[in-house]
Amino acid sequence: MRRVVQVSTGNVGRHALRALIGRPDLELVGVHASGPDKIGRDAGELCGLDRPVGIAATGDVEALIDLAPDCVVYTALAETRPMEAIEQLSRFLRAGINVVGTSLVWMAAPRYAEDWVREPLAAACTAGDSSLYINGIDPGYSGDTLVHTAASLVTRIGSITVQEIFDYGNYDDAEFTGASMGFGTEESAELPPLFLPGVVESLWGPQVRALAANLGVTLDEIRQRTERWFTPDPIGCTMMAVAPGQMAAVRFATEGVLDGRVVITLEHVNRLTAAAAPEWDFPPDGHVGVHRVVIEGEPRVEMNTHLSHPVFDPTDAGCISTAARVVNAIDWVCDAPAGLVAVEDVPQSALMRGLLWAEV
Ligand SMILES: NC(=O)c1ccc[n+]([C@@H]2O[C@H](COP(=O)([O-])OP(=O)(O)OC[C@H]3O[C@@H](n4cnc5c(N)ncnc54)[C@H](OP(=O)(O)O)[C@@H]3O)[C@@H](O)[C@H]2O)c1
């Protein structure tokens, strides 16, 4: 039984909590929340269960370290506060506590992450003899496991295209996803953070480099492209209300170039409702979203992943899977040698968990 602390109760965090609670192989021993309105409240209530589980949320990191858990699941928003998140993660790691997480998405391919984020975390693992594993769906699954699976079916690869095509209309995250992508902004406004030079490449570039290394090729160049779509009509959705002339869809990609040809593309097409950007790609068969890889080669392979749930909407289904990518790795990461864990290190069969264990 692994003793686990959950850090954050946001979109991904509350589904990580639901994954942890009631699992026979994991024991939830603590929960961190930063919002004053959440501190002192029961973890069951914070993740929408109709029963308490006897663990109250705290804002005291030291008290959670004193619990000496085997692992922390870190899903606190980190991209807007990276140095603070690195310090918080490092405190757990230096104390000998393993961490799995979905935050600091630069670290989804840790061996190719930039020094400023990789080095302090690697040093904290060494100091504490602990391990850190960061993953998710995208970055994560679609640019690693999905590609590895598809590429294993192909004898000669011409190009790899990974896409997240997803309607973010139901995503209740105007503060981070909305603001960083610039939904609801006008063309004349300052560029949103994601569209600043180098940002897309910084976030998805490590996965492109990892794929090139897996293929044994040295890319000439890694570059980014970005496009915004401004709506002529008003659009209303959970994320926000978008007025005519404001941005309601984004398309951006990180590309790996070899011999003057784009051979690896990691692309996002994100829109607020199906009314946005009608000329851009849509998920197949009326789905709200797809995580997809297309390999042009011998043979051509296309693998489409659609997530859904009988109760939650597809955005929540994506958050459940994001949480699953790391919660399911807890057992393996706890036994791993100290250091940064890459997806290539973890046997995929080790990530299979449970046969309808959950009582939620
Ligand atoms: N790779 C992927 O596929 C993928 C997919 C989705 C998300 N993510 C990443 O996972 C992380 C969580 O995403 P999300 O959608 O769950 O984000 P979110 O709902 O916007 O925020 C998560 C939580 O972070 C905590 N938080 C916010 N500011 C904080 C601060 N200053 N200090 C400490 N905690 C703070 C809050 O939880 P409390 O109030 O409970 O503390 C908040 O609810 C992000 O870093 C995101 O980029 C990755």
Side-chain angles (χ1 to χ4, degrees):
M1 177 85 88
R2 306 290 187 183
R3 300 175 69 254
V4 182
V5 160
Q6 168 63 34
V7 175
S8 110
T9 62
N11 289 313
V12 178
R14 62 176 185 271
H15 288 298
L17 266 179
R18 293 172 77 100
L20 295 168
I21 293 167
R23 279 244 315 231
D25 58 338
L26 304 172
E27 182 192 1
L28 180 73
V29 296
V31 177
H32 181 277
S34 63
D37 54 322
K38 295 180 178 175
I39 290 170
R41 283 167 62 193
D42 188 87
E45 182 197 346
L46 288 172
C47 68
L49 298 184
D50 56 7
R51 62 179 193 283
V53 295
I55 305 287
T58 175
D60 184 349
V61 171
E62 220 43 57
L64 294 169
I65 291 173
D66 288 346
L67 293 171
D70 299 302
C71 193
V72 161
V73 180
Y74 194 90
T75 58
L77 178 61
E79 289 74 27
T80 52
R81 47 181 277 277
M83 305 323 283
E84 198 184 314
I86 289 171
E87 182 44 36
Q88 212 169 45
L89 286 166
S90 296
R91 282 172 75 185
F92 290 115
L93 293 165
R94 280 195 299 263
I97 300 165
N98 302 297
V99 179
V100 300
T102 64
S103 315
L104 287 176
V105 295
W106 297 274
M107 289 292 288
R111 288 176 195 137
Y112 303 92
E114 293 165 4
D115 292 351
W116 65 270
V117 59
R118 180 174 39 79
E119 283 180 355
L121 293 168
C125 290
T126 304
D129 194 26
S130 52
S131 301
L132 172 67
Y133 177 63
I134 304 286
N135 206 263
I137 296 188
D138 191 327
Y141 164 79
S142 55
D144 54 49
T145 304
L146 188 62
V147 180
H148 301 163
T149 304
S152 73
L153 303 170
V154 181
T155 57
R156 287 180 173 78
I157 293 174
S159 66
I160 298 170
T161 302
V162 174
Q163 286 181 308
E164 175 185 289
I165 308 174
F166 213 95
D167 182 344
Y168 279 179
N170 280 336
Y171 203 4
D172 189 9
D173 190 22
E175 298 84 33
F176 172 56
T177 306
S180 61
M181 292 191 170
F183 288 122
T185 58
E186 285 169 21
E187 199 159 7
S188 56
E190 228 174 82
L191 274 181
L194 193 75
F195 286 74
L196 296 173
V199 171
V200 167
E201 197 263 306
S202 149
L203 289 166
W204 279 269
Q207 284 213 288
V208 173
R209 283 186 192 87
L211 289 176
N214 294 148
L215 289 165
V217 299
T218 305
L219 297 170
D220 308 336
E221 184 195 357
I222 295 186
R223 65 190 187 199
Q224 70 175 47
R225 61 177 160 79
T226 56
E227 280 170 273
R228 297 178 290 161
W229 186 88
F230 298 89
T231 182
D233 303 308
I235 289 180
C237 58
T238 306
M239 172 89 78
M240 63 178 64
V242 187
Q246 296 182 339
M247 209 193 81
V250 295
R251 181 160 65 176
F252 56 88
T254 305
E255 298 176 332
V257 182
L258 180 68
D259 297 334
R261 200 165 63 85
V262 175
V263 291
I264 300 172
T265 302
L266 303 193
E267 183 179 64
H268 268 235
V269 178
N270 296 121
R271 47 168 64 85
L272 299 186
T273 80
E279 64 280 20
W280 291 356
D281 285 355
F282 278 89
D285 308 325
H287 286 282
V288 172
V290 65
H291 290 91
R292 155 153 91 194
V293 61
V294 177
I295 299 188
E296 300 295 346
E298 295 264 330
R300 179 183 192 275
V301 181
E302 176 176 333
M303 292 175 67
N304 293 301
T305 307
H306 305 292
L307 303 167
S308 61
H309 191 279
V311 176
F312 297 115
D313 70 35
T315 308
D316 268 309
C319 290
I320 295 173
S321 292
T322 301
R325 291 289 291 173
V326 299
V327 170
N328 288 352
I330 290 173
D331 197 40
W332 195 91
V333 169
C334 286
D335 285 337
L340 303 177
V341 176
V343 71
E344 289 88 342
D345 302 331
V346 189
Q348 288 306 298
S349 56
L351 300 180
M352 292 174 63
R353 281 292 177 274
L355 197 58
L356 299 181
W357 279 343
E359 334 146 12
V360 289

